[in-house]
Amino acid sequence: MTRRRKFALGFFAVLTAALGIGALILSHDSPCAEAPPLASGTQTMKAATYRCYGPSDVVRIERVAKPQPAADEILVKVEAASVNPLDWHYLHGKPYLIRLGAGIGRPEDPRIGVDFAGTVEAVGPAVTRFKPGDAVFGGAGGAFAEYVTVRESRAVAKKPGNLGFREVAAVPIAALTALQALRDQGLVQPGQSVLINGASGGVGTFAVQLAKHFGAEVTGVCSTRNLDMVRSLGADHVIDYTREDFTKGSKKYDVIVDLVANHGLLTLRHALKPAGILVMVGGGGPDAGPWIEPLLNPIKAAVLSPFVDQPLKFFIAKMNANDLEFLAGLMEAGEITPVLDQHYSLDEAAAAVAHVEAGHTRGKVIITME
């Protein structure tokens, strides 16, 4: 055996061992940690936490330190929050690559939840956009709690006056994702044909309404029980996926927004027009593998896109105040209305997350602080 061949074999052996060790470290679940003691006199609040990775029953309701706003932050008394698939992905720490940022073994930040709506209780000295008493909604880590802080330059906006806290709490992640998928990725124009695969879920219910706002001819794909609901949101056509596979039909679409990842990339391309755009959102449900399976379609799209005329896009929504204000204006005008599914109290946060993880929600699941 030549020296070069020996070196190559040794290199690959070391690389394989390193990848194996890395995989073991990433996939290891440490036991749940105990809540640290609070200093005497600490102001507290009730919050949902998870101090280890696992199913929804690792979520606990604890008394934790009440946050205080920094100079450029606002303190919001949370009235309502909503649950997103993002929450159970972080709860499980899956795909395992999430743990590179969330924490190895157990989460570094035990807080859970992002979407919130509530009333500004206090502001930092540098804040100019908000004042105590303002009703607001937005996104911030640790939203499943009685209070949350958020920088005024981040994803927070004033609540439209014609909707309640529960309705607007449903908006941030889901509606921003739908908006950016259609406007920024799908480049939807009036008169185009748009198909929403997963039209009855949290993102899908907003996507149907926003696609109509942009002047598209909209087809919504959902289950039998949700056909009438999706039609009521403005869909021009509805497809019952239990009876018909849209990828095998003759109809071709200018834009497909895939929210459920239940079709392969090549079959989705079959339903696109020659220059149609595919926008993939999310990586599948809780049954998807914990490693790269949720990312297979996006990986394939990145490889295939340079060789085809159909843009194949995968993206993660960016939280920002401008888009929240745009959505608030549409809600104020009655052009989009949040669709609410089940309602839970903060004490039932674990059940709320489990409900979303089980799939087949109709719109958004809400948590209130009552």
Side-chain angles (χ1 to χ4, degrees):
M1 184 181 294
T2 65
R3 182 178 298 177
R4 180 177 295 178
R5 182 174 176 81
K6 288 180 179 179
F7 175 82
L9 289 174
F11 172 79
F12 284 113
V14 170
L15 179 62
T16 301
L19 289 174
I21 293 170
L24 285 173
I25 292 172
L26 269 183
S27 60
H28 172 69
D29 290 335
S30 298
C32 287
E34 294 294 326
L38 298 174
S40 177
T42 299
Q43 286 188 301
T44 66
M45 67 174 182
K46 192 161 65 171
T49 65
Y50 72 119
R51 298 189 181 276
C52 59
Y53 295 120
S56 58
D57 58 12
V58 305
V59 175
R60 296 286 183 265
I61 305 301
E62 300 177 356
R63 300 298 304 186
V64 301
K66 178 181 175 181
Q68 298 300 317
D72 60 346
E73 291 181 335
I74 63 174
L75 173 68
V76 178
K77 184 180 186 300
V78 178
E79 300 291 343
S82 69
V83 185
N84 294 285
L86 178 71
D87 299 318
W88 58 256
H89 276 297
Y90 273 88
L91 183 65
H92 286 270
K94 295 176 182 177
Y96 289 131
L97 293 178
I98 284 176
R99 302 185 181 196
L100 293 174
I104 305 298
R106 64 169 63 97
E108 294 177 0
D109 184 350
R111 301 175 301 169
I112 188 171
V114 176
D115 291 350
F116 71 85
T119 304
V120 176
E121 181 169 286
V123 302
V127 171
T128 59
R129 291 176 55 212
F130 303 99
K131 65 183 184 304
D134 284 344
V136 297
F137 71 110
F144 297 172
E146 292 179 317
Y147 292 89
V148 70
T149 56
V150 59
R151 291 170 60 182
E152 74 160 339
S153 60
R154 295 297 179 87
V156 60
K158 291 184 179 179
K159 181 181 78 68
N162 59 329
L163 294 177
F165 288 112
R166 293 186 187 186
E167 287 79 14
V168 296
V171 170
I173 286 181
L176 282 176
T177 300
L179 173 64
Q180 293 169 15
L182 292 162
R183 182 195 63 193
D184 305 337
Q185 304 297 322
L187 308 176
V188 172
Q189 300 296 316
Q192 288 188 319
S193 57
V194 175
L195 180 137
I196 311 297
N197 186 28
S200 61
V203 177
T205 51
F206 285 112
V208 170
Q209 297 176 79
L210 286 166
K212 289 302 297 181
H213 168 74
F214 292 132
E217 178 188 349
V218 181
T219 298
V221 181
C222 59
S223 64
T224 308
R225 74 184 184 105
N226 293 321
L227 294 175
D228 288 341
M229 185 266 284
V230 171
R231 193 178 287 111
S232 73
L233 296 176
D236 300 287
H237 315 283
V238 292
I239 295 175
D240 182 348
Y241 73 81
T242 68
R243 299 182 179 182
E244 180 182 351
D245 184 347
F246 73 88
T247 66
K248 295 179 180 179
S250 58
K251 173 75 172 178
K252 308 297 181 183
Y253 300 91
D254 293 294
V255 179
I256 293 176
V257 177
D258 181 27
L259 303 171
V260 291
N262 60 350
H263 290 282
L265 187 62
L266 295 181
T267 56
L268 287 170
R269 287 189 61 227
H270 177 76
L272 282 173
K273 291 182 179 180
I277 299 174
L278 170 64
V279 183
M280 294 170 284
V281 180
D287 294 331
W291 290 101
I292 66 168
E293 184 178 341
L295 301 175
L296 283 179
N297 269 0
I299 291 171
K300 292 176 183 177
V303 173
L304 185 61
S305 283
F307 305 100
V308 298
D309 292 330
Q310 298 159 317
L312 311 173
K313 303 180 179 183
F314 174 80
F315 86 110
I316 297 174
K318 296 180 180 178
M319 302 284 282
N320 67 83
N322 288 338
D323 282 350
L324 283 179
E325 289 170 354
F326 174 77
L327 292 166
L330 292 183
M331 288 187 283
E332 193 86 59
E335 293 199 41
I336 61 171
T337 301
V339 176
L340 304 188
D341 191 339
Q342 297 294 319
H343 158 245
Y344 296 84
S345 68
L346 180 59
D347 290 337
E348 300 170 315
V353 175
H355 182 95
V356 172
E357 185 179 358
H360 304 293
T361 58
R362 294 161 59 100
K364 294 300 299 292
V365 170
I366 302 298
I367 295 174
T368 56
M369 301 305 123
E370 61 192 22

